[in-house]
Coordinates of all heavy atoms in Angstrom, one line a residue:
M1 N 0.8 -1.2 0.0 CA 0.0 0.0 0.0 C 0.9 1.2 0.0 O 1.8 1.4 0.8 CB -0.9 0.0 1.3 CG -1.8 -1.2 1.5 SD -2.4 -1.3 3.1 CE -3.5 0.1 3.2
L2 N 0.6 2.1 -1.0 CA 1.4 3.3 -1.1 C 0.6 4.5 -0.5 O -0.6 4.7 -0.7 CB 1.8 3.6 -2.5 CG 2.7 2.6 -3.2 CD1 2.8 3.0 -4.7 CD2 4.1 2.6 -2.5
F3 N 1.4 5.4 0.2 CA 0.8 6.6 0.8 C 1.7 7.8 0.5 O 3.0 7.6 0.6 CB 0.7 6.5 2.3 CG -0.3 5.4 2.8 CD1 0.0 4.1 3.0 CD2 -1.7 5.8 3.0 CE1 -0.9 3.2 3.4 CE2 -2.6 4.8 3.4 CZ -2.2 3.5 3.6
A4 N 1.1 8.9 0.1 CA 1.9 10.1 0.0 C 1.7 10.8 1.4 O 0.5 11.0 1.9 CB 1.3 11.0 -1.1
V5 N 2.8 11.2 2.0 CA 2.7 11.8 3.4 C 3.5 13.1 3.3 O 4.6 13.2 2.9 CB 3.4 10.8 4.4 CG1 3.4 11.5 5.8 CG2 2.7 9.5 4.5
T6 N 2.8 14.1 3.7 CA 3.4 15.5 3.8 C 3.6 15.7 5.3 O 2.8 15.6 6.1 CB 2.4 16.6 3.2 OG1 2.1 16.3 1.9 CG2 3.1 17.9 3.3
M7 N 4.9 16.1 5.5 CA 5.3 16.4 6.9 C 5.8 17.8 7.0 O 6.7 18.2 6.2 CB 6.5 15.5 7.4 CG 6.2 14.0 7.3 SD 7.7 13.1 7.8 CE 7.4 11.6 6.9
R8 N 5.2 18.6 7.8 CA 5.6 20.0 8.0 C 6.2 20.1 9.4 O 5.6 19.7 10.4 CB 4.4 21.0 7.9 CG 3.7 20.9 6.5 CD 2.6 21.9 6.3 NE 1.9 21.6 5.1 CZ 2.4 21.8 3.9 NH1 3.5 22.5 3.8 NH2 1.7 21.5 2.8
V9 N 7.4 20.6 9.4 CA 8.2 20.7 10.7 C 8.0 22.0 11.3 O 8.2 23.0 10.7 CB 9.7 20.4 10.4 CG1 10.4 20.3 11.7 CG2 9.9 19.1 9.6
S10 N 7.7 22.0 12.6 CA 7.6 23.2 13.4 C 8.4 23.0 14.7 O 7.8 22.6 15.7 CB 6.2 23.6 13.6 OG 6.0 24.8 14.3
L11 N 9.6 23.4 14.8 CA 10.4 23.2 16.0 C 10.3 24.5 16.8 O 10.3 25.6 16.2 CB 11.9 23.0 15.6 CG 12.2 21.6 15.1 CD1 13.6 21.6 14.5 CD2 12.1 20.6 16.2
P12 N 10.2 24.4 18.1 CA 10.1 25.6 19.0 C 11.4 26.4 18.8 O 12.5 25.9 18.8 CB 10.0 25.1 20.4 CG 9.6 23.6 20.2 CD 10.1 23.2 18.9
T13 N 11.2 27.7 18.7 CA 12.4 28.6 18.5 C 13.3 28.5 19.7 O 14.5 28.8 19.6 CB 12.0 30.0 18.2 OG1 11.1 30.4 19.2 CG2 11.4 30.1 16.8
D14 N 12.8 28.2 20.9 CA 13.6 28.2 22.1 C 14.1 26.8 22.5 O 14.6 26.6 23.6 CB 12.8 28.8 23.3 CG 11.5 28.0 23.6 OD1 11.2 27.1 22.8 OD2 10.9 28.3 24.6
L15 N 14.0 25.9 21.5 CA 14.5 24.5 21.8 C 16.0 24.5 22.0 O 16.7 25.2 21.2 CB 14.1 23.6 20.6 CG 14.3 22.1 20.8 CD1 13.4 21.6 22.0 CD2 13.9 21.3 19.5
D16 N 16.5 23.9 23.0 CA 17.9 23.8 23.3 C 18.6 23.3 22.0 O 18.2 22.2 21.5 CB 18.1 22.8 24.4 CG 19.6 22.7 24.8 OD1 20.5 22.5 23.9 OD2 19.9 22.8 26.0
P17 N 19.6 24.0 21.5 CA 20.3 23.6 20.3 C 20.9 22.1 20.3 O 20.8 21.4 19.3 CB 21.4 24.6 20.1 CG 21.0 25.8 20.9 CD 20.1 25.3 22.0
A18 N 21.3 21.7 21.5 CA 21.9 20.3 21.6 C 20.7 19.3 21.5 O 20.9 18.3 20.8 CB 22.6 20.2 22.9
V19 N 19.6 19.6 22.0 CA 18.4 18.7 21.9 C 17.9 18.7 20.5 O 17.6 17.6 19.9 CB 17.3 19.2 22.9 CG1 16.0 18.4 22.6 CG2 17.7 19.1 24.3
R20 N 17.9 19.9 19.8 CA 17.5 20.0 18.4 C 18.4 19.1 17.6 O 17.9 18.3 16.7 CB 17.5 21.4 18.0 CG 17.2 21.7 16.6 CD 17.4 23.2 16.2 NE 17.1 23.5 14.9 CZ 17.9 23.3 13.8 NH1 19.1 22.8 14.1 NH2 17.6 23.6 12.6
D21 N 19.7 19.3 17.8 CA 20.7 18.5 16.9 C 20.5 17.0 17.1 O 20.6 16.2 16.2 CB 22.1 18.9 17.3 CG 22.4 20.4 16.8 OD1 21.6 20.9 16.1 OD2 23.5 20.9 17.2
D22 N 20.3 16.6 18.4 CA 20.1 15.2 18.7 C 18.8 14.7 18.0 O 18.8 13.6 17.4 CB 20.0 15.0 20.2 CG 19.7 13.5 20.5 OD1 20.5 12.7 20.2 OD2 18.6 13.3 21.1
I23 N 17.7 15.4 18.1 CA 16.5 15.0 17.4 C 16.7 14.8 15.9 O 16.3 13.8 15.3 CB 15.3 16.0 17.7 CG1 14.9 15.9 19.2 CG2 14.1 15.7 16.8 CD1 14.0 17.1 19.6
L24 N 17.3 15.8 15.3 CA 17.5 15.8 13.8 C 18.5 14.7 13.4 O 18.2 14.0 12.4 CB 18.1 17.2 13.4 CG 17.1 18.3 13.5 CD1 17.7 19.6 13.0 CD2 15.8 18.1 12.8
A25 N 19.5 14.4 14.2 CA 20.4 13.3 13.9 C 19.6 11.9 14.0 O 19.8 11.1 13.1 CB 21.6 13.3 14.8
R26 N 18.8 11.8 15.0 CA 18.1 10.5 15.1 C 17.0 10.4 14.1 O 16.7 9.3 13.5 CB 17.4 10.4 16.5 CG 18.5 10.2 17.6 CD 17.9 9.9 19.0 NE 17.3 11.1 19.6 CZ 16.0 11.2 19.8 NH1 15.1 10.3 19.5 NH2 15.5 12.3 20.4
E27 N 16.4 11.6 13.7 CA 15.4 11.6 12.6 C 16.1 11.1 11.3 O 15.5 10.3 10.6 CB 14.8 13.0 12.4 CG 13.8 13.1 11.3 CD 12.4 12.7 11.7 OE1 12.2 12.4 12.9 OE2 11.6 12.6 10.8
K28 N 17.2 11.6 11.0 CA 17.9 11.3 9.7 C 18.3 9.8 9.7 O 18.0 9.1 8.7 CB 19.2 12.1 9.6 CG 19.9 11.8 8.3 CD 21.1 12.8 8.1 CE 21.7 12.6 6.8 NZ 22.7 13.7 6.5
A29 N 18.8 9.3 10.9 CA 19.2 7.8 10.9 C 17.9 6.9 10.8 O 18.0 5.9 10.0 CB 19.9 7.6 12.3
Y30 N 16.8 7.3 11.4 CA 15.6 6.5 11.4 C 15.0 6.5 9.9 O 14.6 5.5 9.4 CB 14.6 7.1 12.4 CG 13.3 6.4 12.4 CD1 13.1 5.1 12.9 CD2 12.1 7.1 12.0 CE1 11.9 4.5 13.0 CE2 10.9 6.5 12.1 CZ 10.8 5.2 12.5 OH 9.5 4.6 12.6
S31 N 15.0 7.7 9.3 CA 14.5 7.8 8.0 C 15.4 7.0 7.0 O 14.8 6.3 6.2 CB 14.6 9.3 7.6 OG 14.4 9.4 6.2
Q32 N 16.7 7.1 7.1 CA 17.5 6.3 6.2 C 17.4 4.8 6.4 O 17.5 4.1 5.5 CB 19.0 6.9 6.3 CG 19.1 8.3 5.8 CD 20.5 8.9 5.7 OE1 21.4 8.4 6.4 NE2 20.7 9.9 4.9
E33 N 17.2 4.4 7.7 CA 17.0 3.0 7.9 C 15.7 2.5 7.2 O 15.7 1.4 6.6 CB 16.9 2.8 9.5 CG 16.6 1.4 9.9 CD 16.3 1.5 11.5 OE1 16.9 2.3 12.2 OE2 15.4 0.7 11.9
L34 N 14.6 3.3 7.3 CA 13.4 2.9 6.6 C 13.5 3.0 5.1 O 12.9 2.2 4.4 CB 12.2 3.8 7.1 CG 11.8 3.6 8.6 CD1 10.7 4.6 9.0 CD2 11.4 2.2 8.8
Q35 N 14.3 4.0 4.6 CA 14.6 4.0 3.2 C 15.3 2.8 2.7 O 14.9 2.2 1.7 CB 15.4 5.3 2.8 CG 14.6 6.6 3.0 CD 15.4 7.8 2.8 OE1 16.1 8.0 1.8 NE2 15.5 8.6 3.8
R36 N 16.3 2.4 3.4 CA 17.1 1.2 3.1 C 16.2 -0.1 3.1 O 16.4 -1.0 2.4 CB 18.3 1.0 4.0 CG 19.5 1.9 3.5 CD 20.7 1.6 4.3 NE 20.7 2.1 5.6 CZ 21.2 3.4 6.0 NH1 21.7 4.1 5.0 NH2 21.1 3.8 7.2
A37 N 15.2 -0.1 4.0 CA 14.3 -1.2 4.2 C 13.2 -1.2 3.1 O 12.4 -2.2 3.1 CB 13.7 -1.3 5.6
G38 N 13.1 -0.2 2.3 CA 12.1 -0.1 1.3 C 10.8 0.4 1.7 O 9.8 0.4 1.0
K39 N 10.7 0.8 3.0 CA 9.4 1.3 3.5 C 9.2 2.8 3.2 O 8.0 3.2 3.3 CB 9.4 1.1 5.1 CG 9.4 -0.3 5.5 CD 8.1 -1.0 5.2 CE 8.1 -2.5 5.5 NZ 6.8 -3.1 5.1
W40 N 10.2 3.5 2.9 CA 10.1 4.9 2.7 C 10.9 5.2 1.4 O 12.0 5.8 1.4 CB 10.8 5.7 3.9 CG 10.6 7.1 4.0 CD1 10.3 8.0 3.0 CD2 10.7 7.9 5.2 NE1 10.2 9.3 3.5 CE2 10.4 9.2 4.9 CE3 11.0 7.6 6.5 CZ2 10.5 10.3 5.8 CZ3 11.0 8.6 7.5 CH2 10.8 9.9 7.1
P41 N 10.3 4.8 0.2 CA 11.1 4.8 -1.0 C 11.4 6.2 -1.6 O 12.3 6.4 -2.4 CB 10.2 4.0 -2.0 CG 8.8 4.0 -1.4 CD 9.0 4.1 0.1
H42 N 10.6 7.2 -1.2 CA 10.9 8.6 -1.7 C 10.8 9.6 -0.5 O 9.8 9.5 0.3 CB 9.9 9.0 -2.8 CG 10.1 8.2 -4.0 ND1 11.0 8.5 -5.0 CD2 9.4 7.2 -4.5 CE1 10.9 7.7 -6.0 NE2 10.0 6.8 -5.7
I43 N 11.7 10.6 -0.5 CA 11.5 11.8 0.3 C 12.0 12.9 -0.5 O 13.1 12.9 -1.0 CB 12.3 11.6 1.7 CG1 12.1 12.9 2.5 CG2 13.7 11.2 1.5 CD1 12.6 12.7 4.0
W44 N 11.2 13.9 -0.6 CA 11.5 15.2 -1.3 C 11.3 16.4 -0.4 O 10.3 16.4 0.3 CB 10.5 15.3 -2.6 CG 10.7 14.2 -3.6 CD1 10.1 13.1 -3.7 CD2 11.7 14.3 -4.6 NE1 10.5 12.3 -4.7 CE2 11.5 13.0 -5.3 CE3 12.7 15.2 -5.1 CZ2 12.3 12.7 -6.5 CZ3 13.4 14.8 -6.2 CH2 13.2 13.6 -6.9
R45 N 12.2 17.3 -0.5 CA 12.0 18.6 0.2 C 10.9 19.4 -0.6 O 11.0 19.4 -1.9 CB 13.3 19.4 0.2 CG 13.2 20.8 0.8 CD 12.8 20.8 2.2 NE 13.9 20.4 3.2 CZ 13.6 19.7 4.3 NH1 12.4 19.3 4.6 NH2 14.6 19.3 5.1
I46 N 10.0 19.9 0.0 CA 9.0 20.9 -0.7 C 9.7 22.2 -0.7 O 10.1 22.8 0.3 CB 7.7 21.0 0.1 CG1 7.0 19.6 0.1 CG2 6.8 22.0 -0.6 CD1 5.7 19.5 0.9
A47 N 10.0 22.7 -1.9 CA 10.9 23.8 -2.1 C 10.3 25.0 -1.3 O 9.1 25.3 -1.4 CB 11.0 24.2 -3.6
G48 N 11.3 25.6 -0.6 CA 10.9 26.9 0.1 C 10.2 26.7 1.4 O 9.8 27.6 2.0
Q49 N 10.0 25.4 1.8 CA 9.3 25.1 3.1 C 10.1 24.2 3.9 O 10.9 23.3 3.4 CB 8.0 24.5 2.8 CG 7.0 25.4 2.0 CD 5.7 24.7 1.7 OE1 5.2 23.9 2.6 NE2 5.1 25.0 0.6
Y50 N 10.0 24.2 5.3 CA 10.6 23.2 6.1 C 9.5 22.1 6.2 O 8.8 21.9 7.2 CB 10.9 23.8 7.5 CG 11.8 22.9 8.4 CD1 12.3 21.7 7.9 CD2 12.1 23.3 9.6 CE1 13.1 20.9 8.6 CE2 13.0 22.5 10.4 CZ 13.4 21.3 9.9 OH 14.2 20.5 10.7
A51 N 9.5 21.4 5.1 CA 8.5 20.3 4.9 C 9.0 19.3 3.9 O 9.8 19.7 3.0 CB 7.1 20.9 4.4
N52 N 8.5 18.1 3.9 CA 8.8 17.1 2.9 C 7.6 16.4 2.4 O 6.5 16.4 3.1 CB 9.8 16.1 3.4 CG 9.3 15.2 4.4 OD1 8.5 14.3 4.1 ND2 9.6 15.3 5.7
L53 N 7.7 15.9 1.2 CA 6.7 15.1 0.6 C 7.3 13.7 0.5 O 8.3 13.6 -0.2 CB 6.2 15.6 -0.7 CG 5.2 14.7 -1.5 CD1 3.9 14.4 -0.7 CD2 4.8 15.3 -2.8
S54 N 6.8 12.7 1.1 CA 7.3 11.4 1.2 C 6.4 10.3 0.7 O 5.1 10.5 0.8 CB 7.7 11.0 2.6 OG 8.8 11.8 3.0
I55 N 6.9 9.3 0.1 CA 6.1 8.1 -0.2 C 6.5 7.0 0.7 O 7.7 6.7 0.9 CB 6.4 7.7 -1.7 CG1 6.1 8.8 -2.7 CG2 5.5 6.4 -2.0 CD1 4.7 9.3 -2.7
F56 N 5.5 6.4 1.3 CA 5.6 5.2 2.2 C 5.0 4.0 1.5 O 4.0 4.1 0.9 CB 5.0 5.4 3.6 CG 5.8 6.3 4.5 CD1 5.8 7.7 4.3 CD2 6.7 5.7 5.4 CE1 6.6 8.5 5.2 CE2 7.5 6.5 6.3 CZ 7.4 7.9 6.1
D57 N 5.7 2.9 1.6 CA 5.2 1.6 1.1 C 5.1 0.6 2.3 O 6.1 0.1 2.7 CB 6.2 1.1 0.0 CG 5.6 -0.1 -0.7 OD1 4.6 -0.6 -0.3 OD2 6.3 -0.6 -1.7
V58 N 3.8 0.4 2.7 CA 3.6 -0.3 3.9 C 2.5 -1.4 3.7 O 1.8 -1.3 2.7 CB 3.2 0.6 5.1 CG1 4.3 1.5 5.5 CG2 2.0 1.4 4.7
D59 N 2.4 -2.3 4.6 CA 1.4 -3.4 4.5 C 0.0 -3.0 5.0 O -1.0 -3.5 4.5 CB 1.9 -4.7 5.2 CG 3.2 -5.2 4.5 OD1 3.3 -5.1 3.3 OD2 4.0 -5.8 5.2
T60 N 0.0 -2.2 6.0 CA -1.3 -1.8 6.7 C -1.3 -0.4 7.1 O -0.2 0.3 7.3 CB -1.5 -2.7 7.9 OG1 -0.4 -2.4 8.9 CG2 -1.5 -4.2 7.6
N61 N -2.5 0.1 7.4 CA -2.6 1.5 8.0 C -1.9 1.6 9.3 O -1.3 2.6 9.7 CB -4.1 1.9 8.2 CG -4.8 2.1 6.8 OD1 -4.2 1.9 5.8 ND2 -6.1 2.4 6.9
E62 N -2.0 0.5 10.1 CA -1.4 0.4 11.4 C 0.1 0.5 11.3 O 0.8 1.2 12.1 CB -1.8 -0.8 12.2 CG -3.2 -0.9 12.6 CD -4.2 -1.1 11.5 OE1 -3.8 -1.6 10.4 OE2 -5.4 -0.7 11.7
E63 N 0.7 -0.1 10.3 CA 2.2 -0.1 10.1 C 2.6 1.4 9.8 O 3.6 1.9 10.4 CB 2.7 -1.0 9.0 CG 4.2 -1.0 8.8 CD 4.7 -1.8 7.7 OE1 3.9 -2.3 6.9 OE2 5.9 -2.0 7.6
L64 N 1.8 2.0 8.9 CA 2.2 3.4 8.6 C 2.1 4.3 9.9 O 3.0 5.1 10.2 CB 1.2 4.0 7.6 CG 1.4 5.5 7.2 CD1 2.8 5.7 6.6 CD2 0.3 6.0 6.3
H65 N 1.0 4.1 10.7 CA 0.9 4.8 11.9 C 2.1 4.6 12.8 O 2.6 5.6 13.3 CB -0.4 4.4 12.6 CG -0.6 5.1 13.9 ND1 -0.9 6.4 14.0 CD2 -0.4 4.7 15.2 CE1 -1.0 6.8 15.3 NE2 -0.6 5.7 16.1
Q66 N 2.5 3.4 13.0 CA 3.6 3.1 13.9 C 4.9 3.8 13.4 O 5.7 4.3 14.1 CB 3.9 1.6 14.0 CG 2.9 1.0 15.0 CD 2.9 1.6 16.4 OE1 4.0 2.0 16.9 NE2 1.8 1.8 17.0
L67 N 5.2 3.7 12.0 CA 6.4 4.3 11.5 C 6.4 5.8 11.7 O 7.5 6.3 12.1 CB 6.5 4.0 10.0 CG 6.7 2.5 9.6 CD1 6.8 2.4 8.1 CD2 7.9 1.9 10.3
L68 N 5.3 6.4 11.5 CA 5.2 7.9 11.7 C 5.3 8.2 13.2 O 6.0 9.2 13.6 CB 3.9 8.4 11.1 CG 3.8 8.2 9.6 CD1 2.4 8.7 9.1 CD2 4.9 9.0 8.9
W69 N 4.6 7.5 14.0 CA 4.5 7.7 15.5 C 5.9 7.7 16.1 O 6.3 8.4 17.0 CB 3.6 6.7 16.1 CG 3.4 6.9 17.6 CD1 4.0 6.4 18.6 CD2 2.4 7.8 18.1 NE1 3.5 6.8 19.8 CE2 2.5 7.7 19.6 CE3 1.4 8.6 17.6 CZ2 1.6 8.3 20.4 CZ3 0.5 9.3 18.5 CH2 0.7 9.1 19.8
N70 N 6.8 6.8 15.5 CA 8.1 6.6 16.0 C 9.2 7.6 15.5 O 10.3 7.5 15.9 CB 8.6 5.2 15.7 CG 7.9 4.2 16.6 OD1 7.5 4.5 17.7 ND2 7.7 3.0 16.1
L71 N 8.8 8.5 14.6 CA 9.7 9.5 14.1 C 10.1 10.4 15.3 O 9.3 10.9 16.0 CB 9.0 10.4 13.1 CG 8.7 9.9 11.7 CD1 7.7 10.8 11.0 CD2 10.0 9.7 10.9
P72 N 11.4 10.6 15.5 CA 11.9 11.4 16.6 C 11.3 12.9 16.5 O 11.1 13.5 17.5 CB 13.4 11.5 16.4 CG 13.7 10.1 15.8 CD 12.6 9.9 14.8
L73 N 11.0 13.3 15.2 CA 10.4 14.6 15.1 C 8.9 14.7 15.2 O 8.3 15.7 15.1 CB 10.7 15.2 13.7 CG 12.0 16.0 13.5 CD1 12.1 16.4 12.0 CD2 12.0 17.3 14.3
F74 N 8.3 13.5 15.5 CA 6.8 13.4 15.5 C 6.1 14.5 16.3 O 5.2 15.1 15.8 CB 6.3 12.0 15.9 CG 4.9 11.8 15.7 CD1 4.3 11.6 14.5 CD2 4.0 12.0 16.8 CE1 2.9 11.5 14.3 CE2 2.6 11.9 16.6 CZ 2.1 11.6 15.4
P75 N 6.6 14.8 17.5 CA 5.9 15.8 18.3 C 5.9 17.2 17.7 O 5.2 18.1 18.1 CB 6.7 15.8 19.6 CG 7.5 14.6 19.7 CD 7.8 14.2 18.3
Y76 N 6.8 17.4 16.7 CA 6.9 18.7 16.1 C 6.4 18.7 14.6 O 6.7 19.6 13.9 CB 8.4 19.1 16.1 CG 9.0 19.0 17.5 CD1 9.9 18.0 17.8 CD2 8.7 19.9 18.5 CE1 10.4 17.9 19.0 CE2 9.2 19.8 19.7 CZ 10.1 18.8 20.0 OH 10.6 18.6 21.3
L77 N 5.7 17.7 14.2 CA 5.2 17.5 12.9 C 3.7 17.7 12.8 O 3.0 17.3 13.6 CB 5.5 16.1 12.3 CG 7.0 15.7 12.1 CD1 7.0 14.3 11.6 CD2 7.7 16.7 11.2
S78 N 3.3 18.3 11.6 CA 2.0 18.2 11.2 C 2.0 17.3 10.0 O 2.8 17.5 9.1 CB 1.4 19.6 10.9 OG 0.8 19.7 9.8
V79 N 1.2 16.3 10.0 CA 1.2 15.2 9.0 C -0.1 15.1 8.3 O -1.2 15.1 8.9 CB 1.5 13.9 9.7 CG1 1.6 12.7 8.7 CG2 2.8 13.9 10.5
D80 N 0.1 15.1 6.9 CA -1.1 14.9 6.1 C -0.9 13.6 5.2 O 0.2 13.5 4.6 CB -1.3 16.1 5.2 CG -2.4 16.0 4.3 OD1 -3.6 15.9 4.7 OD2 -2.2 15.9 3.0
I81 N -1.8 12.7 5.2 CA -1.7 11.4 4.5 C -2.7 11.3 3.4 O -3.9 11.5 3.6 CB -1.8 10.3 5.6 CG1 -0.8 10.4 6.6 CG2 -1.8 8.9 4.9 CD1 -1.0 9.4 7.8
Q82 N -2.2 10.8 2.3 CA -3.1 10.5 1.1 C -2.8 9.1 0.6 O -1.7 8.8 0.2 CB -2.9 11.5 0.0 CG -3.3 13.0 0.4 CD -3.0 14.0 -0.6 OE1 -1.8 14.2 -1.0 NE2 -4.0 14.6 -1.2
P83 N -3.8 8.2 0.7 CA -3.6 6.9 0.1 C -3.5 7.0 -1.4 O -4.2 7.8 -2.1 CB -4.9 6.1 0.5 CG -5.8 7.1 1.1 CD -5.2 8.4 1.2
L84 N -2.7 6.2 -2.0 CA -2.5 6.2 -3.5 C -3.0 5.0 -4.2 O -2.8 3.9 -3.6 CB -1.0 6.4 -3.8 CG -0.3 7.6 -3.2 CD1 1.2 7.6 -3.5 CD2 -0.9 8.9 -3.7
A85 N -3.6 5.2 -5.3 CA -4.0 4.0 -6.2 C -3.4 4.2 -7.5 O -3.0 5.3 -7.9 CB -5.5 4.0 -6.3
E86 N -3.3 3.1 -8.3 CA -2.7 3.1 -9.6 C -3.6 4.0 -10.5 O -4.8 4.0 -10.4 CB -2.7 1.7 -10.2 CG -1.6 0.9 -9.6 CD -1.5 -0.5 -10.2 OE1 -2.2 -0.8 -11.2 OE2 -0.7 -1.3 -9.7
H87 N -2.9 4.8 -11.4 CA -3.7 5.6 -12.3 C -3.9 4.8 -13.6 O -2.9 4.3 -14.1 CB -2.9 6.9 -12.6 CG -3.8 8.0 -13.2 ND1 -4.2 7.9 -14.6 CD2 -4.4 9.1 -12.8 CE1 -4.9 8.9 -14.9 NE2 -5.1 9.6 -13.8
P88 N -5.1 4.8 -14.2 CA -5.3 4.1 -15.4 C -4.5 4.5 -16.7 O -4.3 3.8 -17.6 CB -6.8 4.2 -15.7 CG -7.2 5.4 -14.9 CD -6.3 5.5 -13.7
S89 N -3.9 5.7 -16.6 CA -3.2 6.2 -17.7 C -1.7 6.0 -17.5 O -0.9 6.4 -18.4 CB -3.4 7.7 -17.9 OG -4.8 8.0 -18.2
D90 N -1.3 5.4 -16.4 CA 0.2 5.2 -16.1 C 0.7 4.2 -17.2 O 0.1 3.1 -17.3 CB 0.3 4.7 -14.7 CG 1.8 4.6 -14.3 OD1 2.7 4.8 -15.1 OD2 2.0 4.4 -13.1
I91 N 1.8 4.6 -17.9 CA 2.4 3.7 -18.9 C 3.3 2.7 -18.4 O 3.7 1.8 -19.1 CB 3.1 4.5 -20.0 CG1 4.3 5.3 -19.4 CG2 2.1 5.4 -20.7 CD1 5.2 5.9 -20.5
R92 N 3.7 2.8 -17.1 CA 4.6 1.8 -16.5 C 3.9 0.5 -16.2 O 2.8 0.6 -15.8 CB 5.3 2.4 -15.2 CG 6.2 3.6 -15.5 CD 6.6 4.2 -14.2 NE 5.4 4.5 -13.4 CZ 5.4 4.8 -12.1 NH1 6.5 4.7 -11.4 NH2 4.3 5.1 -11.5
P93 N 4.6 -0.6 -16.4 CA 4.0 -1.9 -16.1 C 3.8 -2.0 -14.6 O 4.6 -1.5 -13.8 CB 5.0 -2.9 -16.6 CG 6.2 -2.2 -16.8 CD 6.0 -0.8 -17.0
S94 N 2.6 -2.5 -14.2 CA 2.4 -2.6 -12.7 C 2.7 -4.0 -12.2 O 2.9 -4.9 -13.0 CB 0.9 -2.2 -12.4 OG 0.1 -3.0 -13.1
Ligands
LIG101 O1 13.5 17.8 7.3 C1 12.4 17.2 7.2 O2 11.7 17.3 6.2 C2 12.0 16.2 8.3 C3 12.6 14.9 8.0 C4 12.0 13.7 7.8 C5 13.0 12.7 7.7 C6 14.2 13.5 7.8 O3 15.4 13.0 7.8 O4 14.0 14.8 8.0

């Protein structure tokens, strides 16, 4: 099951810089682990925003929820999820 997930990051301006750096380092490691596992096949920066557009490939809605819930940045994210279906005009073999 494919999902397009938009994550908008809003870190408190008064967050301790060391805490911020630790969260961002753990976020990057977690994201790259899921990318290597094929669960997070795409991540794109939304130009001009502290936000990304990601594609997740998961087996269930609950798996997606757990992957997102475990993001170190989760407390500072606003998340929007769109389920994806094949488009009938797509020329790629499915
Ligand atoms: O910077 C972001 O868009 C938030 C984020 C998600 C995974 C990651 O490494 O950073």
Side-chain angles (χ1 to χ4, degrees):
M1 302 165 68
L2 294 174
F3 294 88
V5 178
T6 302
M7 302 178 207
R8 301 183 188 285
V9 186
S10 183
L11 287 167
T13 51
D14 60 352
L15 190 63
D16 183 312
V19 172
R20 177 185 181 278
D21 290 350
D22 176 62
I23 293 170
L24 294 180
R26 288 187 291 112
E27 179 81 5
K28 183 172 185 173
Y30 179 68
S31 167
Q32 292 185 339
E33 178 188 323
L34 292 177
Q35 289 173 56
R36 281 189 281 271
K39 293 291 177 183
W40 191 337
H42 292 279
I43 179 168
W44 295 93
R45 177 63 76 216
I46 299 176
Q49 299 180 31
Y50 194 2
N52 71 72
L53 175 60
S54 290
I55 304 296
F56 282 80
D57 187 354
V58 292
D59 294 328
T60 62
N61 291 1
E62 288 72 23
E63 183 183 11
L64 178 64
H65 176 75
Q66 280 306 319
L67 295 182
L68 296 174
W69 186 265
N70 289 328
L71 288 165
L73 268 178
F74 187 78
Y76 309 105
L77 294 180
S78 134
V79 179
D80 179 65
I81 299 171
Q82 294 174 297
L84 301 178
E86 287 181 8
H87 195 287
S89 300
D90 190 348
I91 62 169
R92 292 172 306 164
S94 55

